Amino acid sequence: IWIFHGFYAEEKLVASLASMSTSERSKAIQKMPETMKKKREIRNKVLKEITKKSRHRCTQLSCCTECLQGTVVRFRRFGNSLSEHFHQLWIWHRALKIISAEFGTSVLSYFIFLKWLITLNIISFLINFSFLAVPQFVAAEPNNLSFKGLELITGAGYFQQTVLYYGFYTNATISKIENGPSYHMQLAYIFTVGIYFVICFLILLFSMAKSFCRNFINPQTYSGNASKLLCTWDFNITNEKAVKLKQKNLSIQIKEDLAEVSREVLSYSVRERVIRIGIHLVSWVASLGTAVAACAGVYFLSINNLQLFVKEHKNDLETQAAMLVLPIVASLLNTSIPFFYSWLGHLERFQIPRQQIYVTIIRNIILKISIVGILCYYWLKIVAASESQCWETLVGQDVYRLVLVDFIFCLLGSFFGEFLQRIIRTTVCVSRGLPEFDIGRNVLDLIYAQTLTWIGILFSPLLPAIQMISFSIIFYVKTVSLMMNCQPPRKVWRTAQMTTYFILLLFFPSFVGVLTVIGVTVWSLNPSEECGPFRGLPSMYAAVAEWIKMLEKYTASKWVVWIYHNLITSELFFFILSALVLIITYLYWQIKEGRKTMTKFLRKQIIN
Amino acid sequence: MGNKQTIFTAEQLDAYQDCTFFTRKEILRLFYRYRDLAPQLVPLDYTDKPDVTLPYELIGSMPELKDNPFRQRIAEVFSADGDGNMTLDDFLDMFSVLSEMAPRDLKAYYAFKIYDFNNDDYICKSDLAKTVNKLTRNELTPEEVRLVCEKVIYEADADNDGKLSLEDFQRMIVRAPDFL
């Protein structure tokens, strides 16, 4: 009887597969956990079933249907081979595979994050180039300055009069043909930047939500042991040394768990506890103090920097070199202070090693946020109010220089941090082995560079192109450095959770901060009088207000005006929107709680 | 477009593409890898479906599997005769499931079979003990191994029968995003 049951189940399966579309059917067959032979049999049965059905339907047009089927099959084969060629365009696919084989997925997550950032920058470059730079090329004024090689580093000189900076863009309406279609540069500029940030926001939101959904572990249910044993083996690794290392790690971890030597159980005396808290307090004060000192240094240096621009307009070598002091000092602080923080972390002797990683990362984040914050304050409050001719171009040049010097320092850091360390450790002190690839520090460097790019987009629309090139070079350099100099990481690094945290870090301090800066610039700062697409207006946003006023005269676009007045500028709308979002979030939370209780109840029933 | 290969018929390639996660080029590349293990045994013409099986020793010496502590179990699970000797179909099947394009529940199903050393559709304590020993290179004492197995069964066994069924395993995998 059970053989008959099996047959019946198979008939049902074949019938359901025959009724699906072609791609769904392939996916369903691929996912079946059967041997190849069985799958092929089922597939043949399904195909026979389909031809039977189609023959049933149109018996008269049988030769036509066969022709059609033949064409469909040939078309599918063509599509398949096209997508194969497309697969070859997956650049770095091979390099990523080798990295994951030798070093495991934790190091791979850094490179995937880098690749994702490069894609984001490519999208930004395409948007800005097509909507801003190309029309500007059409209406370009001739460039009178001469090109000396130094411009590539300082960004000043010849580049000042190119599409690279805000100051070059015209505020006129561009039209090549008389009475032909016209391109309003002011509106284009503000709408392109606005829509670009909305797109970035949506991309980040979706990536974060997807990441949370897949990867975030509810700390209550991750009780550890079973998953640790059966689920954390990294099957990607094919390097023998890495495999042995991983096995050793796992055995040490299991032994520790069993013997329960976790330091929570060890109780310290009151005096020891006070000393430990004292040490923690002192190191926090030291790290925050260094961050404040770094900010003060950057601030005073930048005020001096401004004097250079406002007072003298000489273009000689001295002023050019002096312009580079601020970016070099800022990048130097950014690169060297994290080493100081790691040294502090070692000194503190944390109970759980993971705490040390988190505390060091938090300190680095505070340092980077304060430096970026101070620079933004300087740019928005001081440069904007100064008497320079074109303050936006000045800010754009500053950001350009910062991005470039940061890139150079990243390459140097890779050289000194990994290459020299390897030479020292293999020749002088052989005990500690090769250096490890520091994922946390490298990811924070990437997020810092991306934050600078986002801030600079308003003032220098082609900055993403530069960042794209620099990230690609960093990818190659880091890959080579990794292969030559590093060993697989010793500490257990919960990859999936860390990837979620990276994207969260990118979104929350970095992107939201940038939105605030851009918001302040667009709404409240005065654009300069003599350059740029918003010259003469009281604020950049006034361009949109003027456009709406102009639209009011045409009856065909009354709805745009209505949307603007009642939805975008009214506070009531945003209040209602926020209330709706809060209500929906609360409802989902309650549904989740209800499901949790239901699961607990059902589980009890299974056990009993 | 480029239908110049003579190893498989077009229908065979279509069938392979439908049943695995690989593209045409990848299937041909895998065939060449299979053939490289034993060029004298594997013919260059598969259109008449020859019955060729490669012994486990050759499969286990592939660089991708050589250092994997579970290579013998993997070969046994995917081979038709359960001994680790694989035909081309088994070979393609194995790499299809191990590739990054396979969905997690398919991998979880096969992972369960890999960890089930005695093939009784349950992971019992002896299976777990063998798994722990393979994962830690026999560095734990038998007492420690026993304790670990007890802990795992205590945590993951939902119907309290002393062993892990496929559903218990899949439930655990869903909660553990690090599973690859």
Side-chain angles (χ1 to χ4, degrees):
Chain A
I1 275 193
W2 63 266
I3 303 178
F4 186 68
H5 235 310
F7 268 142
Y8 184 60
E10 207 178 281
E11 290 295 318
K12 265 194 6 186
L13 178 65
V14 170
S16 69
L17 281 175
S19 56
M20 294 187 205
S21 72
T22 325
S23 56
E24 270 178 27
R25 188 167 47 238
S26 325
K27 285 208 187 85
I29 296 184
Q30 281 168 349
K31 276 197 236 173
M32 285 189 342
E34 306 278 352
T35 59
M36 183 80 85
K37 212 165 76 165
K38 195 88 206 300
K39 281 199 259 198
R40 242 208 302 254
E41 274 173 28
I42 295 187
R43 179 180 175 268
N44 290 338
K45 283 200 189 128
V46 169
L47 286 177
K48 260 193 238 155
E49 182 80 21
I50 293 179
T51 35
K52 233 197 301 179
K53 266 198 207 163
S54 57
R55 215 168 280 160
H56 256 286
R57 281 198 215 120
C58 20
T59 37
Q60 295 128 353
L61 308 165
S62 56
C63 76
C64 274
T65 20
E66 272 183 41
C67 266
L68 201 65
Q69 274 192 0
T71 356
V72 163
V73 166
R74 250 173 288 153
F75 200 62
R76 247 192 7 136
R77 281 199 200 136
F78 178 70
N80 277 342
S81 45
L82 253 187
S83 68
E84 269 175 40
H85 286 286
F86 207 57
H87 270 205
Q88 278 174 351
L89 292 178
W90 273 8
I91 30 178
W92 302 319
H93 186 66
R94 206 183 135 74
L96 288 177
K97 265 254 166 331
I98 298 180
I99 292 175
S100 73
E102 301 275 328
F103 293 95
T105 32
S106 47
V107 173
L108 185 68
S109 64
Y110 166 79
F111 285 94
I112 292 186
F113 186 63
L114 180 53
K115 203 169 111 154
W116 187 75
L117 281 179
I118 293 180
T119 328
L120 199 62
N121 276 317
I122 292 180
I123 297 177
S124 338
F125 168 65
L126 286 175
I127 294 180
N128 280 353
F129 188 70
S130 31
F131 288 108
L132 294 181
V134 167
Q136 182 59 40
F137 278 136
V138 169
E141 296 158 8
N143 193 345
N144 298 329
L145 303 172
S146 58
F147 182 80
K148 299 172 218 146
L150 210 51
E151 269 88 3
L152 284 174
I153 301 187
T154 59
Y158 178 74
F159 279 160
Q160 255 173 327
Q161 298 278 13
T162 58
V163 276
L164 190 57
Y165 294 119
Y166 169 100
F168 184 61
Y169 288 82
T170 160
N171 70 338
T173 330
I174 307 172
S175 48
K176 251 205 130 157
I177 325 164
E178 281 301 315
N179 293 334
S182 63
Y183 192 83
H184 202 183
M185 198 53 174
Q186 271 183 353
L187 287 178
Y189 203 92
I190 201 169
F191 279 142
T192 310
V193 172
I195 292 179
Y196 165 69
F197 275 111
V198 167
I199 293 178
C200 264
F201 176 74
L202 290 174
I203 292 178
L204 277 175
L205 202 62
F206 282 131
S207 308
M208 222 170 44
K210 213 168 49 162
S211 207
F212 256 116
C213 196
R214 267 202 72 189
N215 296 338
F216 199 72
I217 315 172
N218 191 354
Q220 291 168 345
T221 56
Y222 188 76
S223 34
N225 290 316
S227 319
K228 236 187 267 186
L229 183 66
L230 293 175
C231 303
T232 50
W233 179 256
D234 195 346
F235 276 101
N236 272 343
I237 305 183
T238 55
N239 181 5
E240 190 185 347
K241 241 191 306 176
V243 166
K244 285 203 189 123
L245 201 65
K246 206 119 212 243
Q247 285 172 320
K248 195 151 201 219
N249 265 345
L250 200 55
S251 56
I252 293 179
Q253 232 187 333
I254 294 181
K255 285 198 190 207
E256 273 181 14
D257 276 345
L258 285 179
E260 294 197 13
V261 190
S262 53
R263 314 282 166 82
E264 307 150 25
V265 183
L266 282 180
S267 57
Y268 289 109
S269 64
V270 181
R271 180 168 166 268
E272 281 197 0
R273 235 181 276 172
V274 166
I275 292 184
R276 289 186 78 83
I277 294 183
I279 294 183
H280 284 313
L281 264 177
V282 165
S283 36
W284 270 106
V285 164
S287 49
L288 288 177
T290 349
V292 167
C295 290
V298 166
Y299 182 69
F300 284 120
L301 208 57
S302 38
I303 303 245
N304 276 341
N305 200 25
L306 187 60
Q307 316 267 350
L308 273 177
F309 285 110
V310 179
K311 279 205 204 143
E312 299 135 23
H313 274 284
K314 294 189 270 189
N315 260 341
D316 59 348
L317 216 54
E318 241 185 46
T319 14
Q320 306 266 16
M323 277 197 266
L324 284 177
V325 172
L326 170 65
I328 290 184
V329 168
S331 296
L332 203 64
L333 287 172
N334 251 332
T335 324
S336 48
I337 296 189
F339 286 115
F340 172 63
Y341 285 159
S342 331
W343 178 72
L344 268 184
H346 277 298
L347 221 58
E348 282 179 80
R349 258 170 282 168
F350 281 95
Q351 294 181 342
I352 310 174
R354 191 163 290 143
Q355 267 184 0
Q356 182 184 345
I357 302 180
Y358 285 158
V359 164
T360 317
I361 290 186
I362 290 179
R363 286 182 184 153
N364 281 331
I365 293 175
I366 294 180
L367 172 73
K368 291 196 160 45
I369 290 182
S370 9
I371 289 190
V372 173
I374 278 284
L375 283 172
C376 288
Y377 175 77
Y378 155 68
W379 283 326
L380 295 185
K381 282 278 173 201
I382 301 190
V383 178
S386 68
E387 316 122 11
S388 56
Q389 255 190 342
C390 197
W391 65 268
E392 291 97 346
T393 309
L394 283 184
V395 176
Q397 285 173 356
D398 266 343
V399 177
Y400 175 88
R401 281 191 288 264
L402 270 171
V403 162
L404 208 60
V405 173
D406 187 61
F407 164 63
I408 295 178
F409 266 84
C410 183
L411 293 180
L412 283 179
S414 189
F415 179 73
F416 283 113
E418 285 149 19
F419 182 62
L420 278 188
Q421 264 200 354
R422 171 180 78 116
I423 292 194
I424 292 178
R425 287 199 196 181
T426 43
T427 50
V428 178
C429 47
V430 202
S431 54
R432 300 220 284 172
L434 295 173
E436 280 177 21
F437 187 77
D438 192 348
I439 304 174
R441 188 169 55 89
N442 281 302
V443 168
L444 284 181
D445 281 339
L446 288 182
I447 295 182
Y448 172 74
Q450 185 60 37
T451 316
L452 284 179
T453 314
W454 272 334
I455 293 180
I457 279 192
L458 187 61
F459 306 107
S460 166
L462 291 186
L463 206 55
I466 299 165
Q467 195 65 288
M468 191 172 83
I469 301 175
S470 77
F471 274 161
S472 315
I473 299 180
I474 288 181
F475 189 98
Y476 281 117
V477 167
K478 289 277 177 195
T479 315
V480 168
S481 162
L482 186 72
M483 301 294 196
M484 282 198 345
N485 303 335
C486 297
Q487 63 167 338
R490 263 174 298 198
K491 306 197 193 90
V492 170
W493 183 273
R494 278 205 229 142
T495 314
Q497 259 193 328
M498 293 314 284
T499 324
T500 322
Y501 285 142
F502 294 162
I503 300 192
L504 189 67
L505 266 180
L506 190 63
F507 182 73
F508 189 60
S510 168
F511 189 71
V512 171
V514 167
L515 279 185
T516 331
V517 168
I518 299 283
V520 165
T521 317
V522 167
W523 255 276
S524 61
L525 290 185
N526 289 332
S528 35
E529 298 284 323
E530 295 157 16
C531 65
F534 299 106
R535 52 194 105 166
L537 293 175
S539 75
M540 294 192 196
Y541 189 70
V544 179
E546 272 188 16
W547 178 61
I548 294 286
K549 249 187 263 177
M550 192 193 68
L551 275 185
E552 274 173 5
K553 301 189 204 130
Y554 303 102
T555 42
S557 39
K558 274 258 186 291
W559 59 276
V560 180
V561 184
W562 184 86
I563 291 182
Y564 178 76
H565 280 304
N566 294 6
L567 294 183
I568 303 186
T569 42
S570 82
E571 297 86 8
L572 184 65
F573 174 68
F574 284 111
F575 177 71
I576 295 180
L577 200 65
S578 330
L580 261 174
V581 167
L582 282 173
I583 291 176
I584 294 179
T585 319
Y586 177 71
L587 278 174
Y588 269 118
W589 183 46
Q590 286 301 321
I591 293 179
K592 184 191 79 134
E593 293 286 314
R595 287 210 182 128
K596 232 199 278 188
T597 346
M598 194 65 178
T599 332
K600 249 190 263 182
F601 178 63
L602 286 173
R603 195 175 303 159
K604 277 210 195 100
Q605 280 197 331
I606 296 180
I607 293 183
N608 300 333
Chain B
M1 222 174 144
N3 247 348
K4 299 192 196 95
Q5 54 87 24
T6 49
I7 310 172
F8 300 107
T9 62
E11 284 74 31
Q12 278 178 318
L13 268 182
D14 274 343
Y16 278 135
Q17 270 185 302
D18 269 345
C19 298
T20 65
F21 294 98
F22 292 126
T23 63
R24 221 170 128 260
K25 214 172 257 189
E26 289 165 348
I27 294 175
L28 288 172
R29 210 186 304 160
L30 278 170
F31 171 77
Y32 284 121
R33 289 294 303 275
Y34 184 72
R35 187 158 190 278
D36 284 339
L37 294 174
Q40 70 280 16
L41 287 176
V42 179
L44 266 174
D45 188 357
Y46 252 76
T47 47
D48 50 355
K49 302 196 188 65
D51 187 15
V52 176
T53 312
L54 290 187
Y56 163 69
E57 291 73 29
L58 290 176
I59 308 276
S61 65
M62 287 185 70
E64 286 86 356
L65 290 178
K66 175 164 65 79
D67 293 312
N68 192 327
F70 289 99
R71 59 185 175 280
Q72 179 147 18
R73 272 309 290 167
I74 294 177
E76 283 170 13
V77 163
F78 285 102
S79 64
D81 58 0
D83 271 336
N85 307 318
M86 301 179 98
T87 65
L88 179 65
D89 279 355
D90 302 329
F91 190 76
L92 286 174
D93 214 5
M94 174 172 76
F95 277 108
S96 169
V97 170
L98 290 177
S99 77
E100 59 198 11
M101 296 162 289
R104 275 172 78 197
D105 28 5
L106 186 62
K107 289 194 197 224
Y109 175 83
Y110 278 103
F112 182 78
K113 285 176 93 171
I114 290 173
Y115 290 141
D116 181 12
F117 281 79
N118 51 9
N119 285 328
D120 60 351
D121 288 336
Y122 286 103
I123 297 183
C124 58
K125 273 207 195 134
S126 62
D127 295 332
L128 269 180
K130 291 207 194 94
T131 309
V132 170
N133 276 325
K134 279 218 192 290
L135 280 175
T136 57
R137 281 181 96 79
N138 296 326
E139 275 196 23
L140 300 182
T141 67
E143 182 60 28
E144 288 169 340
V145 170
R146 193 182 61 85
L147 279 172
V148 169
C149 297
E150 274 179 12
K151 268 198 180 183
V152 169
I153 295 207
Y154 175 69
E155 267 182 25
D157 195 9
D159 48 5
N160 265 347
D161 54 359
K163 34 196 183 165
L164 298 182
S165 64
L166 179 60
E167 287 77 28
D168 296 330
F169 189 74
Q170 278 176 334
R171 210 169 39 96
M172 200 173 51
I173 297 287
V174 159
R175 305 265 186 75
D178 288 322
F179 176 68
L180 291 158

